[in-house]
């Protein structure tokens, strides 16, 4: 791998820098908690990027993206992060998970209607997969879709739906046939979140934020024209979405060791700077090395994507390593800070962000697949080890659910 920009990449980096210098909103004040930018600021920034051709860099130009290369996406991410521009957290699920799925499985009419406003941030998307009794075992979804007239009627409940309270549309996984084994009776639909019968209830988290929600679906009508792919093809579509999700989580959240290095420079152990302590240095070096490994793994996966290959099961590695790193690094920083971590005014400048990361990281370790499930994926699909025991695999869903 060559780590220098090529001439073309250098031109793109200069373009991105000039655009960001001129247009990026000011970074959050030192001492502000990370979590998320308010929706209107984030939306205005997304539109500005779309107007300049920097939104949806990897998505095709005819759908409103840039039709750019993986390296352009990586370069823009680097430069955008460097100026502290607002994170695209409100659009991440739409851009990273829903748009690639729509582009792969939807009709040209569905693509033309939905992808351009998604890229501009005019319409926000969510992913309605998990249910109270099916998270890891997603194929056991109980939300039903029954055929009626020109469409479908949905009844059931979803949970942990990130961003549902702001969303205009969601990709919904529902059971259209209970008489076949669980993986075969699922279908994906585009749900208009403003439809009658959709009720969204935010869930309060330990951080004080409400990023995710319960979503109740009571006799909600979806026209058949909003079905994605074929009836019964839902599991294949869901698997593709999960791969994109693990990649998205890795690309966006990859935690930086920089704030922790700053904390180590600003705190003391036994009267000497913590950063001079051998044990602290050893940990910083390990987390820095892991960061480089993840960065190159992400580049490898994105290169495969740019060559038209599906993101493979190895994307699971990124999330396993990064989510645990975030939790360990934030916890270590808070140990170094001690009670000063609670002093927003006089403590180390990175402390509020690290407290935010410490409270959010347990969720990141679960969302998009728990660590145990991702280890199963790597064991079975990357290493070829014997599969998990799945007793209900070949039984009709309704018969298994009745047991
Ligand atoms: C921050 C966050 C955001 C989320 N956003 C969304 C979203 O936008 N849309 C959405 O649909 N869902 C979302 N989720 C839900 C998420 O996908 C599920 O929480 C996750 O898949 C786990 O499912 P569960 O909560 O039902 O836990 P369970 O599946 O009940 O798992 C409980 C425990 O059992 C373990 N376990 C289960 N099965 C196995 C097995 N076969 N082998 C070994 N261990 C196993 C798990 O690892 C876990 O420790 C989000 C979750 C979080 C935390």
């Amino acid at each position: 791998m060559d780590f220098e920009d090529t001439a073309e990449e250098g031109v793109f980096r200069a373009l991105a820098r000039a655009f960001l210098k001129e247009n990026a909103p000011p970074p959050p004040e030192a001492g502000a908690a990370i979590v998320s930018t308010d929706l209107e600021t984030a939306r205005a920034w997304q539109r500005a990027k779309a107007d300049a051709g920097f939104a949806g860099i990897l998505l095709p130009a005819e759908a409103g993206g840039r039709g750019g290369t993986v390296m352009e996406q990586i370069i823009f991410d680097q430069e955008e992060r460097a100026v502290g521009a607002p994170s695209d957290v409100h659009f991440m699920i739409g851009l990273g998970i829903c748009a690639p799925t729509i582009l792969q499985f939807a009709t040209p009419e569905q693509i033309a209607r939905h992808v351009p406003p998604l890229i501009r941030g005019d319409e926000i998307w969510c992913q309605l997969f998990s249910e109270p009794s099916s998270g890891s075992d997603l194929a056991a979804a109980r939300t039903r879709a029954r055929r009626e007239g020109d469409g479908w009627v949905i009844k059931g409940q979803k949970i942990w739906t990130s961003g549902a309270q702001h969303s205009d549309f969601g990709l919904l996984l529902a059971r259209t046939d209970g008489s076949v084994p669980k993986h075969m009776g699922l279908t994906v639909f585009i749900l208009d979140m403003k439809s009658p019968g959709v009720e969204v209830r935010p869930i309060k988290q330990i951080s004080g934020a409400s990023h995710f929600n319960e979503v109740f679906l009571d006799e909600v009508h979806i026209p058949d024209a909003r079905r994605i792919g074929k009836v019964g093809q839902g599991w294949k579509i869901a698997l593709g979405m999960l791969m994109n999700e693990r990649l998205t989580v890795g690309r966006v959240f990859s935690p930086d060791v920089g704030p922790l290095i700053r904390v180590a420079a600003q705190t003391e152990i036994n009267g000497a700077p913590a950063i001079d302590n051998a044990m602290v240095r050893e940990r910083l070096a390990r987390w820095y090395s892991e960061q480089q490994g993840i960065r190159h793994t992400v580049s490898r996966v994105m290169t495969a994507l740019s060559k038209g290959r599906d993101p493979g099961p190895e994307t699971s590695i990124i999330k396993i390593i990064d989510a645990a790193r975030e939790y360990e690094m934030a916890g270590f920083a808070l140990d170094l800070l001690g009670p000063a971590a609670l002093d927003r005014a006089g403590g180390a400048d990175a402390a509020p962000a690290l407290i935010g990361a410490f409270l959010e990281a347990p969720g990141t370790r679960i969302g998009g697949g728990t660590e145990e499930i991702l280890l199963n994926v790597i064991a079975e699909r990357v290493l070829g080890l014997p599969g998990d025991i799945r007793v209900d695999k070949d039984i009709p869903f309704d018969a298994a659910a009745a047991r």
Side-chain angles (χ1 to χ4, degrees):
M1 213 184 261
D2 185 352
F3 295 101
E4 299 299 322
D5 285 345
T6 61
E8 276 176 4
E9 288 160 6
V11 169
F12 179 80
R13 191 180 292 279
L15 271 179
R17 261 186 204 163
F19 166 74
L20 288 162
K21 185 164 179 243
E22 200 61 32
N23 297 285
E29 285 171 31
I34 37 158
V35 200
S36 83
T37 320
D38 74 274
L39 181 54
E40 281 324 304
T41 309
R43 213 193 272 274
W45 178 229
Q46 188 65 20
R47 285 180 188 147
K49 286 196 288 185
D51 288 341
F54 291 116
I57 288 179
L58 289 172
L59 300 176
E62 54 278 18
R66 185 183 181 87
T69 65
V70 171
M71 279 316 297
E72 287 177 348
Q73 179 70 64
I74 292 172
I75 290 169
F76 192 79
D77 284 350
Q78 288 170 344
E79 297 296 327
E80 192 180 28
R81 215 165 286 154
V83 298
S87 85
D88 60 0
V89 71
H90 297 290
F91 315 109
M92 193 180 75
I93 291 178
L95 287 167
I97 303 172
C98 299
T101 306
I102 295 170
L103 287 163
Q104 190 179 353
F105 293 100
T107 62
E109 293 75 29
Q110 289 170 328
I111 293 173
R113 161 63 188 86
H114 290 293
V115 178
L118 182 161
I119 292 175
R120 287 183 60 76
D122 291 341
E123 290 175 348
I124 297 180
W125 282 68
C126 62
Q127 177 195 31
L128 298 139
F129 276 21
S130 303
E131 299 185 5
S133 60
S134 67
S136 301
D137 188 9
L138 194 57
R142 285 165 188 254
T143 292
R144 297 276 176 163
R146 66 171 196 277
R147 194 77 221 226
E148 230 177 77
D150 69 337
W152 300 82
V153 176
I154 314 293
K155 191 159 183 62
Q157 188 201 333
K158 298 288 171 179
I159 193 166
W160 315 125
T161 317
S162 302
Q165 71 272 50
H166 306 301
S167 290
D168 301 286
F169 293 98
L171 284 182
L172 170 81
L173 184 69
R175 185 160 306 281
T176 39
D177 187 354
S179 69
V180 291
K182 61 182 182 179
H183 295 92
M184 294 163 63
L186 297 164
T187 303
V188 171
F189 299 92
I190 296 174
L191 173 67
D192 178 342
M193 295 295 288
K194 307 290 183 281
S195 308
V198 177
E199 188 191 341
V200 177
R201 291 189 202 158
I203 297 173
K204 187 98 169 177
Q205 294 162 238
I206 191 174
S207 61
S210 290
H211 290 319
F212 44 43
N213 304 267
E214 293 177 291
V215 179
F216 295 88
L217 304 161
D218 187 12
E219 300 287 311
V220 180
H221 178 260
I222 301 185
D224 191 50
R226 290 238 165 105
R227 170 170 46 81
I228 299 268
K230 299 192 183 102
V231 175
Q233 202 190 10
W235 184 243
K236 184 177 177 201
I237 299 175
L239 282 184
M241 275 180 84
L242 290 176
M243 295 302 171
N244 286 322
E245 177 169 10
R246 282 156 204 171
L247 178 60
T248 301
V249 171
R251 184 172 78 74
V252 177
F253 283 123
S254 193
D256 180 12
V257 77
L260 178 54
I261 293 175
R262 287 212 304 282
V263 168
Q266 290 169 358
T267 51
E268 293 188 346
I269 295 178
N270 296 334
I275 199 158
D276 291 340
N277 180 287
M279 189 268 293
V280 173
R281 295 173 82 82
E282 183 268 328
R283 294 222 193 173
L284 293 177
R286 177 162 60 80
W287 283 316
Y288 177 80
S289 309
E290 283 177 359
Q291 186 168 323
Q292 301 312 312
I294 288 297
R295 195 163 282 170
H296 298 314
T297 306
V298 171
S299 307
R300 198 156 42 103
V301 173
M302 294 187 93
T303 305
L305 275 174
S306 78
K307 293 190 172 155
R309 299 201 299 268
D310 283 342
E314 56 273 30
T315 53
S316 304
I317 299 167
I318 300 166
K319 221 211 81 168
I320 292 181
I321 303 283
D322 259 356
R325 268 181 76 231
E326 180 174 37
Y327 186 63
E328 288 167 11
M329 287 189 340
F332 187 64
L334 297 185
D335 280 347
L336 286 178
L337 285 161
L342 300 174
D343 177 7
R344 286 184 181 234
D349 61 4
L354 288 162
I355 294 172
F358 187 69
L359 297 178
E360 297 280 332
T364 312
R365 295 178 84 164
I366 297 169
T370 66
E371 285 169 10
E372 290 80 9
I373 293 300
L374 298 185
L375 287 170
N376 278 352
V377 170
I378 292 171
E380 294 177 21
R381 301 189 43 212
V382 180
L383 303 176
L385 296 173
D388 205 0
I389 298 164
R390 295 182 173 96
V391 287
D392 58 350
K393 193 166 163 244
D394 300 316
I395 304 171
F397 177 79
D398 286 344
R403 278 185 178 179

